């Protein structure tokens, strides 16, 4: 594993965070073998937390768009972004939930180091995708006289982006299940 590899960065973060007691115990052969893949489970937890935070940060710009509609008394546009907020909340809950991470997906399976690395790469690509979504959600600056169709087209386009993200979340298990 190369040192600039995103997975090794997460594993290094875990090793820096795990504390002196675990570092000491991992020096013993038996306990070190038990902890061998534990670093990937913890790296997975760190990646999931980071991904959930990035998705959660998308909500505020969407709320501001909605607030502008309310402030401008655009009754025809109020509530148009509500579907985006609910999709973001569902995606965040899926990521935080036990069924997404290695704890839920890997229960009962003995993952190899290469599988764990592939999953971490997949998570890193999802984090990158979330950053792209963040850029897209901050880009629209609707003028006060914006048409309903323009807003609906933007909401539909952003919803399509969230659906692609959702598909990537669901296909993540294929990496582990070797499909």
């Amino acid at each position: 594993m190369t040192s600039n590899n995103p997975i090794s960065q997460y594993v290094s973060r875990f090793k820096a965070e795990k504390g002196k007691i675990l570092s000491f115990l991992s020096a013993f052969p038996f306990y070190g073998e038990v902890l061998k893949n534990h670093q990937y489970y913890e790296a997975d937890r760190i990646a999931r937390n980071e991904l959930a935070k990035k998705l959660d940060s998308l909500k505020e710009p969407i709320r501001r768009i909605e607030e502008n509609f309310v402030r401008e008394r655009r009754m025809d546009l109020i509530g148009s972004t509500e579907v985006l907020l609910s999709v973001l909340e569902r995606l965040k809950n899926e990521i935080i939930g036990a069924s997404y991470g290695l704890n839920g997906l890997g229960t009962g399976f003995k993952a190899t180091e290469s599988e764990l690395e592939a999953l971490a790469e997949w998570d890193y690509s999802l984090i990158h995708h979330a950053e792209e979504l963040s850029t897209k959600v901050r880009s629209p600056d609707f003028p006060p006289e914006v048409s309903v169709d323009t807003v609906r087209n933007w909401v539909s386009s952003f919803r399509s982006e969230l659906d692609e993200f959702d598909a990537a979340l669901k296909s993540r298990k294929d990496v582990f299940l070797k499909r």
Side-chain angles (χ1 to χ4, degrees), residues 151-176:
V151 173
R152 286 186 180 154
N153 288 340
W154 180 83
V155 168
S156 175
S157 172
F158 197 74
R159 172 69 192 264
S160 297
E161 291 281 336
L162 292 176
D163 289 342
E164 286 177 26
F165 190 87
D166 187 30
L169 283 177
K170 287 181 172 65
S171 62
R172 177 188 187 263
K173 70 176 182 261
D174 294 343
V175 173
F176 191 74

Side-chain angles (χ1 to χ4, degrees), residues 16-99:
E17 293 175 4
K18 74 177 181 177
K20 294 179 182 179
I21 294 174
L22 284 179
S23 297
F24 174 73
L25 290 174
S26 63
F28 293 102
F30 172 73
Y31 199 74
E33 192 62 33
V34 171
L35 285 179
K36 181 179 177 190
N37 287 337
H38 185 67
Q39 63 190 0
Y40 289 101
Y41 286 89
E42 288 301 314
D44 175 68
R45 181 190 56 79
I46 292 169
R48 283 189 297 134
N49 287 341
E50 190 170 324
L51 187 56
K53 286 177 186 174
K54 288 195 182 295
L55 285 180
D56 204 35
S57 72
L58 298 176
K59 291 181 188 176
E60 191 56 35
I62 292 173
R63 286 186 185 118
R64 276 191 250 118
I65 291 170
E66 192 69 29
E67 286 172 4
N68 287 338
F69 295 153
V70 171
R71 185 176 27 258
E72 295 160 5
R73 296 185 175 112
R74 294 291 310 265
M75 299 305 278
D76 50 347
L77 295 175
I78 294 174
S80 57
T81 61
E82 197 64 35
V83 66
L84 299 177
L85 292 173
S86 64
V87 169
L88 282 171
E89 187 64 27
R90 182 182 54 78
L91 290 173
K92 187 183 95 170
N93 288 338
E94 279 183 31
I95 291 167
I96 291 172
S99 64

